């Protein structure tokens, strides 16, 4: 997850984080090219692309408050904001 201009979250998946970050910073991404400041704030590793895509879709559907809670490792707030408590079975970077 990237924080763009300290206000907007971008959520995506990749199999090569360094390459993808370089693409974002070189303004090669349609969504992030309009932002001047990009910061990697959260990441997870998954066993396969399918589980990564499912998790990406889930996080994209979250409110800004939930995204901030996971970025800031505020598990109690994330649990309070969540409909499900099974989120913490996922490994984070």
């Amino acid at each position: 997850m990237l924080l763009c201009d300290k206000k907007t979250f971008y959520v995506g998946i990749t199999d090569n984080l360094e390459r993808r970050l370089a693409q974002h910073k070189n303004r090669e991404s349609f969504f992030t090219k309009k932002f001047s400041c990009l910061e990697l704030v959260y990441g997870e590793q998954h066993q396969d692309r399918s589980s990564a895509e499912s998790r990406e879709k889930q996080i994209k559907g979250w409110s800004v408050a939930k995204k901030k809670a996971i970025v800031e490792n505020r598990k109690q707030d994330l649990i309070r904001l969540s409909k499900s408590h099974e989120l913490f079975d996922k490994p984070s970077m």
Side-chain angles (χ1 to χ4, degrees):
M1 187 178 331
L2 299 177
L3 182 58
C4 308
D5 287 349
K6 302 199 184 290
K7 61 183 176 183
T8 303
F9 288 106
Y10 169 83
V11 178
I13 62 171
T14 184
D15 61 359
N16 186 326
L17 185 58
E18 288 182 25
R19 181 190 71 224
R20 189 64 177 133
L21 285 174
Q23 290 172 334
H24 284 293
K25 290 183 180 193
N26 292 328
R27 302 188 186 285
E28 297 173 21
S29 171
F30 177 78
F31 180 81
T32 61
K33 68 182 175 183
K34 59 188 170 192
F35 298 102
S36 59
C37 179
L38 301 173
E39 178 185 3
L40 178 64
V41 293
Y42 182 77
E44 296 179 354
Q45 291 183 337
H46 291 266
Q47 293 296 326
D48 55 61
R49 187 162 186 89
S50 177
S51 64
E53 288 170 347
S54 294
R55 184 66 165 159
E56 175 194 29
K57 183 178 179 182
Q58 179 185 40
I59 293 173
K60 281 184 173 182
W62 286 1
S63 66
V64 171
K66 281 179 75 171
K67 290 174 186 171
K68 284 182 180 179
I70 199 167
V71 166
E72 295 170 2
N73 200 28
R74 293 184 284 117
K75 291 183 180 181
Q76 291 303 324
D77 288 341
L78 187 56
I79 291 168
R80 182 178 50 80
L81 294 165
S82 297
K83 295 177 184 174
S84 170
H85 300 285
E86 63 190 48
L87 300 171
F88 296 103
D89 295 336
K90 308 291 184 202
S92 64
M93 285 191 338

